Amino acid sequence: MSTTTARSTTYHNFIDGSWVPSVAGALFENRNPANSDDLIGVFQKSTADDVARAIDAARIAYERWRLVPAPKRAELLFHAAQLIADRKESLARDMTREMGKVLDETRGDVQEAIDMTFFMAGEGRRQSGQTVPSELRDKFAMSVRQPVGVSAIITPWNFPMAIPSWKIIPALVCGNTVVFKPATLTPLSALNFVRILEEAGIPPGVVNLVTGGGAEVGNALLVSDAVRVVSFTGSTEVGRTVSAQASPSFKKVHLEMGGKNVIMIMDDANLELAVEGCLWGGFGTSGQRCTAASRVVVHEKVYPRFVEQFVARANALRVGDGLDPQTQMGPLVSQGQLETVMKYVEIGRGEGARLACGGHALTTGAYAKGHFHEPTVFADVAPSMRIAQEEIFGPVVSVIPCKSFDEAVAIGNGVQYGLSASIYTQDINRAFAAMRDMNTGIFYINAPTIGAEVHLPFGGTKATGNGHREAGTAALDVFSEWKSIYVDFSGRLQRAQIDTAEI
């Protein structure tokens, strides 16, 4: 799996049941975003040749794995879930070192992987189809799920164990094999996950891990005719490329992409509850989540009080190393992500929004070797401003005033994305109307836009997704196809239509 040197640990790809170096021999470093002196490890900078080897291993293993009874596949996944649970704390600490979010959040990330693996393992005995009456006598009609084949799994860095579990585990329980390309910013969490699947007894070739960049590894997966389904989570811009690259071979494509989520606060809201929800919805994971509440639309009657309280709470957040139990918000994942946030702060200022708090990178003292930024709130934001339209993926929240419920819903829907939305109100009629009218895949009442549970479908509308969902039993539809089966046990040729004279 790896070789230890005095300087660092070099980690390998996992192909056909073995930990192997890239054929080209190139490597890349993975460093702690809170402290760049902390070298977490060195990983394989793979090429298309490595991808071809992994796809070939998955293709061959598929012919065996698809014939393993689903309950038997599930037993291995139950074992994997227990192993993840047993190692939850160490996995969470590795994740915090690797991508920065605080330990409470990385523990939650690992817990989602535990929950998803247990849940999907249960589907090994519940992949039910339909049995229906036939139009003809002595004929039986039914449908069953069948696996798709080799699955390409491409995941982001912000939930480096939860999101792979949402994809890999349903793929496996359905009988598919996997080639897994994790984000280059979080390869260790991916490797930890695959190592547990190996230890749980998943056979060689069924799960393969290839680390490296999207241009080499990702594109090689997308254009391969042997890959029959691609599941991708990332930006909308890259998602468009994934869709275009995969389309010539007519493979299934599942896309989970950007978000510009909204919390709507009505004049009858419990303001203390709303402020708390906006705080963690906006600044949890340093705002680096597709469900982050980066827009808050507030009724003008409570707008001044909300802004005052929200800004006070944001200013009081403790920013620092996620391994410190006193830290409430960690660093950005990379220098590039920090620069993106800084760019949008300048855009907001230029657009005329009022910078109510934050707005600066943190670069001195304990922050000098990390990618830290202050929690930032823009007030008096117009819905058309870029900071209210574009996904920033950082600790920047835009507060927008509104005059009515209808205006709040119109503002909420007025972006290209449709992942998650929320309303704070004590009026049940408003709550149900908002639930009906918001064009999003997820909706919350008196809660922030974060906190999805694994047994319900996860996904969005418009530029957030392409109609498929992950999590819940909906994930089975991504990684399986329906086969209709007709059995004639009459022993004779039957007419295609029912002859009512014979009834």
Side-chain angles (χ1 to χ4, degrees), residues 340-481:
T340 295
V341 171
M342 295 166 65
K343 178 190 76 172
Y344 273 102
V345 169
E346 291 309 308
I347 288 170
R349 284 174 166 151
E351 290 179 311
R354 175 166 63 91
L355 184 60
C357 74
H360 304 95
L362 299 168
T363 59
T364 60
Y367 304 118
K369 295 181 179 180
H371 314 303
F372 295 95
H373 196 280
E374 295 174 322
T376 299
V377 176
F378 278 104
D380 306 338
V381 175
S384 60
M385 290 180 179
R386 287 181 64 186
I387 58 171
Q389 289 287 321
E390 299 175 12
E391 185 175 41
I392 300 172
F393 227 61
V396 181
V397 176
S398 296
V399 185
I400 305 168
C402 72
K403 297 181 183 299
S404 67
F405 167 79
D406 289 339
E407 185 184 7
V409 170
I411 293 170
N413 281 328
V415 294
Q416 66 170 320
Y417 304 106
L419 179 53
S420 185
S422 164
I423 189 170
Y424 281 82
T425 181
Q426 298 182 59
D427 184 331
I428 191 170
N429 294 327
R430 277 180 174 171
F432 270 79
M435 179 177 62
R436 176 196 64 195
D437 293 340
M438 287 303 300
N439 186 10
T440 59
I442 307 170
F443 190 78
Y444 295 85
I445 298 170
N446 293 327
T449 55
I450 60 175
E453 300 183 24
V454 301
H455 43 283
L456 286 178
F458 181 96
T461 61
K462 301 189 285 186
T464 291
N466 64 340
H468 293 295
R469 293 290 185 270
E470 53 194 353
T473 55
L476 301 176
D477 293 330
V478 175
F479 295 105
S480 64
E481 294 178 323

Side-chain angles (χ1 to χ4, degrees), residues 28-30 43-44 98 155 157 181-187 211-214:
F28 67 92
E29 292 182 345
N30 181 24
F43 294 81
Q44 304 301 309
E98 185 170 50
T155 60
W157 45 261
K181 181 225 160 321
T184 54
L185 291 168
T186 51
T211 59

Side-chain angles (χ1 to χ4, degrees), residues 2 9 46 89 151 194 196 199 207 219 232-233 260 262 288 306 328 341 422 431 444 448 471:
S2 63
T9 300
S46 304
E89 188 65 18
S151 306
V194 169
I196 284 172
E199 188 175 337
V207 175
N219 287 343
F232 165 84
T233 297
K260 192 67 178 176
V262 67
Q288 300 171 120
F306 171 82
Q328 296 173 300
V341 171
S422 164
Y444 295 85

